[in-house]
Amino acid sequence: MAVEGAPPFLHESIVLLTATVVAVPLAKRLGLGSVVGYLAAGVFLGPFGFKLIEAGKDVLHVAELGVVLLLFVIGLELDPKKLWRMKRDIFGLGTAQVVLTGLTFFGIASLAGLPTSAALIAGFGMALSSTAFALQILQERGQLSSAYGQRAFGILLLQDIAIVPLLAMVSILAPGQTGEGGPGILAEAAKTLGAVAAVILAGRYLASPLFLFLAGSRAREVMLTAALLVALGSADLMHTVGLSMAMGAFLAGVLLAESSFKHTLEADIEPFRSLLMGLFFIAVGMSLDFTVLGNHLAEVIVGVFVVMLVKGAYLWGLTRVSGSSNSDALRVAVTLPQGGEFAFVLFTAAIGSQVLDHQYANILSAIVIISMLMTPLACLGLDAIAGRMKARGGDTPAIESFEEAMPTVLVIGFGRFGMMVAQILTSEGLEITAIDNRPDRIAYARKLGYKVYYGDATRADVLAAAGAGKAALIAMCIENDRVMGKSIELLREGFPKALLFCRATDRAHALVLTKLGVDFQIRETFESSVAFGKAALERLGIPADRIAQIEEDVRRRDQERLAMELTDGPFAGTDRLHGVTPRLQAGVDEQDKSTPSA
């Protein structure tokens, strides 16, 4: 039977996917980055472009979930202790940037002829940068964890918090607004604090037991559903009380940062985050009104220039004053000078409250969008300048201390074998990350003080989230030969630079690992068997030099047999198993005996 009609949004989905697979690779090939590709696709598709998609605002509402998931993933990377260490950047540097930039733009808007209330909204709206754009740029460049990346993130985090008082300011400035007085303010404050407390308590005491229970089912789709539920549920709760959805998801991520499931959560969320973030940038491009741009081209161009210059100057100056190097301050200045997505929220609220005229809002929105489009180009310009200066001044060492050069190790499988490996490595002060897929083993290891995370070693996304790309060495301590083989294939394909040290379950497995070309393999019982035999010989009265001679001979014969088995099959070289280790010649013995003791 023929289908009467296509599912809703099917045509638009195909158009969006087609534009993405064309525009993004082309933009990256030109060195402009994926963000510019998404924006260009949105401009081309939108109601003010070729009108292939008319519902630009509807797309934007759905795509905002990408920002929510982005903040959730970033929260997973920041445990509460690390977040507390960033308090100076968040509340000091971030507050100074918003206040000073907002007041400066307020003065400029007032001089341009806007009424006082509208100028306040315009000024502080332009003081906010785009969390989505800036973080995407930092992640693409692999610089989110750098010193300047962390400072930029601290500023963005404060800006996300600042949207709450700014929205309250819109209500205060609304014509005829008298406010609800003290009781109303206290009720709103209590509601907000209650929502924050609910997220904190749920994240601290309910989320980890929930994931521990679900992990026992070994159903990946259930874990994925739970991850989305935690992220979106926290966002919705915060949105209900008037806070930023992104802030709710970020808080939930921070509370799960010390959970055993952080790497699996990150890997599960990442595809949705990437897809929705791309959709968000397309929706922003679709929002660019060419009618407004054409009628007010001069005002928009001047506005973009002023916004990026003033905000960049403040960002550079404040980060320099607060201790950043000149290069880091410049990078912060070119990463955060654009307007942000929260400006759209603020302007929309101001229009609804009759604080801001619709025409002014359209002009301001055009300035925000064009400034977003110019940000990746500004970053490329700074890279070009930095490259020339570096060529003139010579290379500087990337590693300034031994601590920065310390290698990291990924331990896969945390049973008895993996735990001993971890103890040896951490005794040297090496940084390790350990993953296992058994919840009971993870819980036991955590009771012993080890941080072990839930993860499937046969998933490339989980291995990447656990740090396989940064690991100098990967210790494969898995008992399952099939799982280890599949994991080795993924690691060799995706992370070829890491050394692979493997636990072999038996002799046949050791031969397989040798053929796979791992960097080191050892049978799990071989060394303990050798130690056992040596101890037995010692108690039987065999001299120490004879025991050492036997050990050396046994190891040599074992290696010879392994080499023969690789070429001739598992039963080759069986003669190497038998035979008595030759004794030293009598003359040598006599010489040793005649040597005086120390």
Side-chain angles (χ1 to χ4, degrees):
M1 187 175 72
V3 179
E4 294 183 359
F9 207 56
L10 176 62
H11 169 72
E12 290 83 354
S13 300
I14 293 173
V15 171
L16 287 170
L17 293 173
T18 303
T20 299
V21 299
V22 172
V24 174
L26 182 59
K28 296 198 77 169
R29 179 66 63 88
L30 296 174
L32 300 176
S34 63
V35 174
V36 174
Y38 285 122
L39 281 173
V43 170
F44 180 86
L45 298 175
F48 308 106
F50 286 88
K51 300 183 180 180
L52 297 176
I53 296 179
E54 297 287 348
K57 290 185 178 180
D58 294 338
V59 174
L60 186 59
H61 290 320
V62 175
E64 284 175 352
L65 294 178
V67 183
V68 171
L69 296 181
L70 172 65
L71 267 294
F72 178 71
V73 171
I74 291 172
L76 288 173
E77 298 296 325
L78 292 173
D79 58 57
K81 293 179 181 178
K82 187 174 182 180
L83 190 62
W84 179 249
R85 290 196 298 268
M86 293 173 60
K87 62 183 182 296
R88 182 166 168 261
D89 289 337
I90 297 172
F91 297 105
L93 182 58
T95 301
Q97 184 273 326
V98 170
V99 172
L100 293 176
T101 308
L103 290 175
T104 301
F105 286 149
F106 162 68
I108 294 173
S110 297
L111 291 175
L114 269 69
T116 301
S117 297
L120 272 173
I121 299 300
F124 280 93
M126 288 299 182
L128 305 179
S129 303
S130 173
T131 300
F133 268 69
L135 292 183
Q136 182 79 3
I137 290 171
L138 289 170
Q139 284 190 329
E140 282 189 354
R141 291 166 171 258
Q143 295 172 339
L144 182 57
S145 60
S146 65
Y148 93 86
Q150 292 294 288
R151 304 209 78 183
F153 178 69
I155 296 171
L156 291 169
L157 193 55
L158 189 280
Q159 291 179 357
D160 286 351
I161 297 172
I163 190 63
V164 179
L166 291 179
L167 287 173
M169 183 175 70
V170 172
S171 300
I172 295 171
L173 294 174
Q177 181 67 32
T178 58
E180 299 181 18
I185 295 174
L186 289 176
E188 289 297 321
K191 187 191 299 184
T192 300
L193 291 175
V196 173
V199 172
I200 291 175
L201 291 174
R204 179 69 69 182
Y205 300 108
L206 297 180
S208 287
L210 170 66
F211 286 117
L212 190 64
F213 171 75
L214 296 176
S217 68
R218 301 293 179 93
R220 180 183 175 186
E221 66 277 6
V222 176
M223 292 286 288
L224 172 58
T225 303
L228 290 171
L229 175 63
V230 169
L232 300 182
S234 302
D236 184 60
L237 179 60
M238 290 299 189
H239 179 66
T240 302
V241 298
L243 293 174
S244 162
M245 288 195 299
M247 278 301 302
F250 173 75
L251 183 58
V254 170
L255 294 171
L256 288 170
E258 294 184 326
S259 162
S260 302
F261 302 92
K262 63 175 289 186
H263 297 305
T264 296
L265 290 174
E266 183 180 350
D268 285 339
I269 291 289
E270 182 62 26
F272 295 90
R273 181 205 70 80
S274 300
L275 186 62
L276 287 171
M277 282 298 295
L279 190 60
F280 173 82
F281 297 134
I282 290 176
V284 170
M286 292 168 64
S287 303
L288 183 59
D289 190 334
F290 285 98
T291 304
V292 174
L293 188 61
N295 294 337
H296 303 277
L297 184 60
E299 294 96 322
V300 171
I301 292 176
V302 171
V304 170
F305 178 78
V306 170
V307 166
M308 298 188 73
L309 180 64
V310 171
K311 190 184 288 189
Y314 270 120
L315 287 165
W316 177 83
L318 289 171
T319 48
R320 282 290 284 157
V321 168
S322 56
S324 289
S325 64
N326 185 56
S327 61
D328 279 357
L330 283 172
R331 291 191 178 279
V332 172
V334 300
T335 305
L336 306 182
Q338 73 290 120
E341 55 273 4
F342 284 123
F344 301 139
V345 177
L346 193 63
F347 298 157
T348 301
I351 293 172
S353 300
Q354 299 180 357
V355 176
L356 188 64
D357 181 82
H358 196 278
Q359 180 177 337
Y360 286 139
N362 284 338
I363 296 174
L364 292 171
S365 296
I367 292 173
V368 170
I369 295 171
I370 298 298
S371 67
M372 288 179 176
L373 183 60
M374 296 301 295
T375 300
L377 302 179
C379 291
L380 289 175
L382 181 62
D383 287 344
I385 295 172
R388 291 182 181 179
M389 293 177 64
K390 186 176 181 179
R392 292 177 182 175
D395 292 339
T396 56
I399 298 174
E400 298 177 354
S401 65
F402 177 73
E403 287 74 15
E404 294 176 3
M406 291 291 281
T408 60
V409 177
L410 174 61
V411 178
I412 302 177
F414 211 76
R416 292 169 296 173
F417 191 96
M419 192 178 299
M420 284 304 303
V421 170
Q423 184 178 352
I424 295 291
L425 296 172
T426 54
S427 296
E428 172 57 16
L430 295 175
E431 179 186 349
I432 71 162
T433 299
I435 64 173
D436 201 290
N437 66 346
R438 286 178 50 179
D440 57 334
R441 186 179 286 172
I442 294 170
Y444 176 71
R446 291 226 161 196
K447 288 179 181 178
L448 298 179
Y450 290 102
K451 280 191 175 182
V452 184
Y453 301 98
Y454 179 83
D456 183 352
T458 62
R459 288 177 53 187
D461 54 352
V462 171
L463 293 171
K470 298 182 292 184
L473 184 145
I474 299 175
M476 306 287 292
C477 305
I478 307 170
E479 297 98 331
N480 189 306
D481 299 2
R482 182 189 60 80
V483 171
M484 183 182 290
K486 186 173 181 181
S487 183
I488 289 173
E489 290 178 7
L490 294 174
L491 291 168
R492 283 298 192 210
E493 181 179 352
F495 317 99
K497 293 183 180 180
L499 296 172
L500 283 185
F501 276 43
C502 299
R503 163 197 189 175
T505 54
D506 52 30
R507 192 174 192 86
H509 189 209
L511 292 171
V512 171
L513 293 174
T514 303
K515 292 177 181 178
L516 288 175
V518 300
D519 297 285
F520 176 81
Q521 58 82 16
I522 186 170
R523 282 162 282 158
E524 58 185 359
T525 58
F526 180 75
E527 292 296 332
S528 56
S529 300
V530 170
F532 189 100
K534 288 169 58 181
L537 289 174
E538 183 179 355
R539 291 299 296 268
L540 291 171
I542 306 301
D545 56 348
R546 174 61 178 168
I547 293 174
Q549 186 181 5
I550 291 172
E551 179 185 2
E552 181 182 356
D553 181 55
V554 167
R555 289 182 182 276
R556 178 185 57 78
R557 283 188 282 153
D558 182 76
Q559 289 298 317
E560 290 176 355
R561 183 185 168 208
L562 278 173
M564 296 173 71
E565 287 174 315
L566 282 172
T567 57
D568 301 328
F571 296 103
T574 53
D575 59 307
R576 298 299 194 277
L577 291 170
H578 311 290
V580 177
T581 299
R583 296 180 179 274
L584 294 175
Q585 297 178 358
V588 176
D589 284 342
E590 292 297 324
Q591 184 179 355
D592 290 342
K593 290 178 182 179
S594 63
T595 302
S597 59

